[in-house]
Structure formats: structure tokens, C-alpha cells
């Protein structure tokens, strides 16, 4: 079963408790879960680093949400430049 736009509250003894549309729900018992979370860049230090004049490079999903291969390529490319 695929559940989108839900917030997981807990995972306990094979049961997921989650919030969806303001309602608390519990899943059936499971033995495997696949979870994907977020597709938005998160860069809380960027503004502080800019103000302080500290050089930095934003890589991976912090730069732009992408696939794993693209994120790893970005990290390797940046490391080589160091």
C-alpha cells in the first residue's frame, strides 16, 4: 500500500502510526517499509555563512533535489576541487 503526504508518528512492533489529513491512523503489521522523505532543499546555514564571509559549496540535495547518482557526482566533483 502506498500512502502519500503523511507524517509518521511512530514505528513499533511492525505497525506504523501516522497522521494523514489531521487523522491518526495505524497500518497493518508489516515486515518491510520503504520511506521517501522530502524533495526540497534545506540550507539553514547558508545565510549565516554568507554574512560571515565564509566560503562554502552546497552539494547534493541541499543544492537541488536530485537522484542519488547526481548527488554523489556533485560530492565527488566538489571534493576534487578541494
Amino acid at each position: 500500500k502506498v500512502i502519500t503526504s503523511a507524517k509518521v508518528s511512530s514505528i513499533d512492533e511492525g505497525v506504523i502510526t501516522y497522521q494523514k489529513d489531521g487523522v491518526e491512523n495505524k497500518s497493518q503489521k508489516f515486515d518491510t517499509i520503504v520511506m521517501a522523505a522530502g524533495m526540497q532543499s534545506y540550507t539553514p546555514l547558508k545565510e549565516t555563512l554568507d554574512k560571515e564571509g565564509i566560503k562554502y559549496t552546497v552539494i547534493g540535495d541541499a543544492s537541488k533535489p536530485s537522484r542519488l547518482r547526481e548527488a554523489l557526482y556533485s560530492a565527488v566533483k566538489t571534493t576534487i576541487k578541494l
Side-chain angles (χ1 to χ4, degrees), residues 1-80:
K1 181 176 183 179
V2 176
I3 300 169
T4 61
S5 303
K7 180 179 178 183
V8 174
S9 305
S10 67
I11 301 174
D12 188 41
E13 296 185 29
V15 176
I16 300 172
T17 302
Y18 63 95
Q19 304 283 326
K20 176 143 174 94
D21 301 325
V23 178
E24 184 174 274
N25 300 280
K26 290 190 182 278
S27 71
Q28 295 178 357
K29 212 164 188 178
F30 65 90
D31 62 3
T32 303
I33 179 173
V34 175
M35 188 169 106
M39 283 299 297
Q40 187 173 26
S41 297
Y42 180 65
T43 56
L45 291 176
K46 187 177 183 315
E47 186 177 319
T48 302
L49 295 172
D50 286 339
K51 282 182 186 175
E52 296 295 324
I54 298 171
K55 292 171 74 174
Y56 62 92
T57 302
V58 179
I59 62 171
D61 284 354
S63 174
K64 177 182 115 185
S66 57
R67 302 215 181 276
L68 177 61
R69 183 179 186 155
E70 295 161 334
L72 290 173
Y73 176 76
S74 171
V76 169
K77 191 168 118 178
T78 300
T79 303
I80 289 170

